[in-house]
Amino acid sequence: MLTVEYDPLNGWNSPEIKPYGPLSLDPASTCFHYCPCVFEGMKAYMGPNGEPRLFRPELNLARLLRSAKRATLPDFDPDAVLALLKRLIAVEARWIPDKPCHSLYIRPTIIGTRPSIGVAPTDDYGMLYIILNPSAPFFLPGVGKPLSFLAVEDRVRAWPGGTGAYKMGGNYAPAFESQKEANRRGYDQNLWLIGENRQICEAGLMNFLVVVKREDGDVDVMTPELDGTILPGVTRQSILELADAHTAGRTTLPGLSPTMKIHTHERLLTMPEVRQWNADGTLLEVLACGTASIVVPLARVGFEGEDVVFKKYEDGYGPVGKALWQRLVDIQEGRFEWEGWSVPC
Ligand SMILES: *Cc1c(COP(=O)(O)O)cnc(C)c1O
């Protein structure tokens, strides 16, 4: 693991790469009481020549900085942290499993460590640490089982003016009870909604997307807009950019016809609307995306006492989901060069 401490006298101290192990912290540390804790989720992938690679790491570090500012944690230089991260991954590259679609999960975390019970900002004492964990693929075509989600109808994950757009520890514990309830009722995760119109926010810890057939024969890909209640996912952004590049003729996504147009929309999306498209037969694919899962298909959503069951495909994915999954994996593992997204360490 890598650790760097921040204190008012020295600012950021010297970083250290050392064996994984417990931290020793004052029990009054602010992170234990008021939750100044922000984190990132990234992965290192093994490239074709045995060189470890990161995927668009600058986007994660920019988001970490936004989260840290929102929690009044110490400021940092994202380029300096990227240099540390590359060094850590280069040192620990042997932990990236040498198997297809496996990776090394990376968890950069910043906590407030001011040893004081006083309820006050903690931009004077903090610690940044990065821990790593080998990880297996979450979902593979033909192998994985599409996920089922239980819509949460009595609680919200995030709200306008809240912190849903930041990867802050405090956003996650309040969701555990609903997660447990979903599991107890046979669902994998929760679909988070907000408002009277049952607007869709996120699918568990993933962003939500639908693929809908258009009258002109093209398809629409729609995902909730970044209105402050949505975590701005790197995978979400990459999917929208890849779909746009396909439609503009700048690339052809695997398995899709170059003439097929995918129109992307970031917009308000409600659960009754999705249910209606499903009933009409225009709803082609329902997907969730994030670093851990890349892209996964949804099988059903429990909503207002009934299951909305989506179209099934042979290997789990519909054509758009499969194309996006394949292209993302090829870029991440360094087999397909695309706009410098894959960064060697
Ligand atoms: C991390 C996260 C995502 C996915 O973001 P990526 O950058 O694609 O990994 C989506 N929703 C929530 C709530 C998250 O915490």
Side-chain angles (χ1 to χ4, degrees):
M1 64 191 229
L2 181 145
T3 61
V4 205
E5 288 179 57
Y6 186 97
D7 66 57
L9 205 59
N10 304 304
W12 288 109
N13 288 260
S14 302
E16 249 189 297
I17 292 176
K18 58 188 183 188
Y20 188 92
L23 304 173
S24 177
L25 293 172
D26 191 297
S29 297
T30 42
C31 61
F32 296 132
H33 304 270
Y34 315 121
C35 236
C37 161
V38 300
F39 63 94
E40 270 305 319
M42 313 169 67
K43 282 173 169 177
Y45 309 86
M46 192 49 85
N49 307 318
E51 81 292 4
R53 312 183 75 98
L54 296 165
F55 180 71
R56 311 189 80 180
E58 67 291 348
L59 296 182
N60 293 92
L61 293 169
R63 189 170 67 189
L64 184 64
L65 184 59
R66 289 199 302 274
S67 299
K69 282 187 195 296
R70 183 66 182 82
T72 15
L73 281 160
D75 207 357
F76 64 88
D77 172 0
D79 294 335
V81 175
L82 180 55
L84 296 182
L85 176 57
K86 283 184 177 174
R87 180 61 185 271
L88 176 68
I89 298 303
V91 168
E92 304 294 352
R94 68 188 183 286
W95 292 104
I96 306 175
D98 188 16
K99 290 181 184 173
C101 299
H102 284 59
S103 56
L104 185 63
Y105 188 77
I106 306 169
R107 173 50 61 86
T109 308
I110 306 176
I111 53 175
T113 55
R114 185 161 39 76
S116 146
I117 289 292
V119 186
T122 184
D123 50 359
D124 49 354
Y125 284 93
M127 180 191 285
L128 179 149
Y129 61 87
I130 307 178
I131 52 177
L132 309 170
N133 191 50
S135 76
F138 187 85
F139 189 94
L140 287 177
V143 182
K145 198 168 153 283
L147 300 180
S148 62
F149 282 73
L150 179 60
V152 184
E153 310 202 36
D154 59 340
R155 291 175 175 173
V156 293
R157 186 193 95 86
W159 49 89
T163 56
Y166 305 93
K167 255 179 146 65
M168 293 184 46
N171 290 340
Y172 298 83
F176 292 159
E177 213 184 0
S178 303
Q179 165 77 40
K180 238 177 128 171
E181 171 68 5
N183 295 155
R184 196 185 60 74
R185 293 174 53 186
Y187 296 87
D188 297 300
Q189 297 184 26
N190 292 118
L191 185 71
W192 292 99
L193 308 178
I194 191 170
E196 291 301 312
N197 57 358
R198 315 280 70 194
Q199 191 176 326
I200 297 170
C201 294
E202 298 203 51
L205 303 187
M206 294 175 281
N207 292 118
F208 180 87
L209 304 119
V210 288
V211 183
V212 179
K213 187 158 58 180
R214 292 160 56 109
E215 283 180 4
D216 61 7
D218 294 348
V219 299
D220 286 316
V221 164
M222 303 183 216
T223 189
E225 63 187 317
L226 302 178
D227 63 356
T229 66
I230 309 292
L231 197 289
V234 173
T235 320
R236 173 190 178 281
Q237 180 180 336
S238 303
I239 284 175
L240 294 174
E241 291 173 6
L242 286 172
D244 289 344
H246 174 90
T247 302
R250 292 198 292 120
T251 188
T252 300
L253 293 178
L256 298 184
S257 155
T259 58
M260 173 191 181
K261 301 242 180 291
I262 307 170
H263 303 268
T264 57
H265 308 269
E266 300 179 71
R267 51 158 272 184
L268 190 148
L269 211 54
T270 71
M271 194 51 213
E273 193 172 38
V274 168
R275 179 171 57 191
Q276 188 57 47
W277 293 330
N278 194 51
D280 293 348
T282 52
L283 184 64
L284 298 177
E285 303 178 41
V286 183
L287 302 164
C289 69
T291 297
S293 62
I294 311 182
V295 188
V296 284
L298 268 63
R300 61 185 174 120
V301 170
F303 176 59
E304 293 182 340
E306 278 177 31
D307 270 356
V308 181
V309 180
F310 304 124
K311 193 170 158 69
K312 276 199 189 64
Y313 292 93
E314 192 150 336
D315 57 7
Y317 289 105
V320 175
K322 174 96 171 275
L324 291 166
W325 175 82
Q326 187 66 60
R327 178 53 57 84
L328 282 167
V329 170
D330 288 343
I331 297 171
Q332 288 167 342
E333 297 181 358
R335 283 185 300 272
F336 186 90
E337 165 53 33
W338 184 253
E339 303 196 337
W341 285 6
S342 178
V343 177
C345 294

